[in-house]
Amino acid sequence: YTEGHLWRLAHYGEQLAIAAGFSADEQQSVRRGGLLHDIGKIGVADDILRKPAPLTPAEYAQVKEHPERGARIIAPMRFAREVAPIVLGHHEHWDGRGYPYGLRGEEIPIGARIIAIVDAYDAMTTDRPYRGALTRERAIQRLRSRSGVQWDPQLVAIFADMVERGQLTEPSETDIERCV
């Protein structure tokens, strides 16, 4: 599941970056951010990540450490300067109630805002240990309902339009090979 999630996020994120008018270099950073956004979860126990019930406050505190841990893991990589802000900020919320720093609005790096949207969409449209997948339509409703609260409203509008027009595609073998 995790591998498929990462490939989908890289691909969805790149598609949203293209639709938002990003340069080729920015698109590549978003693609890499999608692949690496959850690398910090390597330090979270599997039983927490796979838990089919709500997390305890202590378990949730462990999960909330993954963006900072991930940014530290990728710090020595040649592309860390562009990708670490995406890894670090993908759980920040437009209204400032996210983590790890409570950034709000445009303080959140735009690549992180993109990955936050596509991460939520992919989580909603795939089965999880704690619930079944939602339809694309229901997932878009949820994104729209939290637009301007959890996610960047302009990016949600672009992404929702892409999905509703049938323009969002799943990654192909060629897309995956290009990311490697």
Side-chain angles (χ1 to χ4, degrees):
Y1 166 79
T2 299
E3 181 181 6
H5 173 66
L6 299 178
W7 290 124
R8 286 188 301 274
L9 258 60
H11 189 64
Y12 295 165
E14 180 179 34
Q15 290 177 77
L16 180 50
I18 290 167
F22 281 33
S23 71
D25 287 344
E26 292 167 327
Q27 293 167 29
Q28 182 178 49
S29 294
V30 168
R31 187 171 56 246
R32 287 176 173 158
L35 283 172
L36 296 169
H37 77 286
D38 275 345
I39 196 168
K41 285 186 177 178
I42 199 165
V44 179
D46 283 345
D47 60 325
I48 292 174
L49 295 176
R50 293 189 176 117
K51 188 173 179 180
L55 300 178
T56 67
E59 291 167 337
Y60 186 54
Q62 285 185 46
V63 171
K64 286 174 61 175
E65 293 173 3
H66 83 272
E68 290 176 297
R69 184 180 300 114
R72 285 192 306 272
I73 290 168
I74 69 165
M77 296 177 184
R78 64 179 160 72
F79 51 76
R81 184 174 167 173
E82 296 82 22
V83 178
I86 296 170
V87 171
L88 194 55
H90 75 279
H91 282 292
E92 297 288 0
H93 291 183
W94 190 253
D95 67 0
R97 294 183 184 196
Y99 64 87
Y101 301 121
L103 300 178
R104 68 180 329 127
E106 293 185 5
E107 294 173 345
I108 305 164
I110 194 161
R113 288 183 259 155
I114 284 178
I115 295 302
I117 292 166
V118 299
D119 190 19
Y121 176 79
D122 190 66
M124 287 185 249
T125 57
T126 55
D127 289 329
R128 293 295 173 109
Y130 46 88
R131 60 135 184 84
L134 300 178
T135 64
R136 285 180 167 217
E137 295 76 21
R138 184 68 183 122
I140 291 301
Q141 286 176 343
R142 286 196 178 177
L143 286 173
R144 287 188 191 280
S145 74
R146 302 281 299 160
S147 174
V149 177
Q150 189 167 351
W151 301 293
D152 180 321
Q154 290 179 315
L155 292 172
V156 167
I158 294 168
F159 185 73
D161 186 58
M162 290 171 58
V163 173
E164 290 168 347
R165 291 177 183 259
Q167 296 171 335
L168 185 72
T169 63
E170 297 290 321
S172 67
E173 288 299 319
T174 305
D175 296 317
I176 293 171
E177 290 170 7
R178 193 170 44 85
C179 285
V180 178

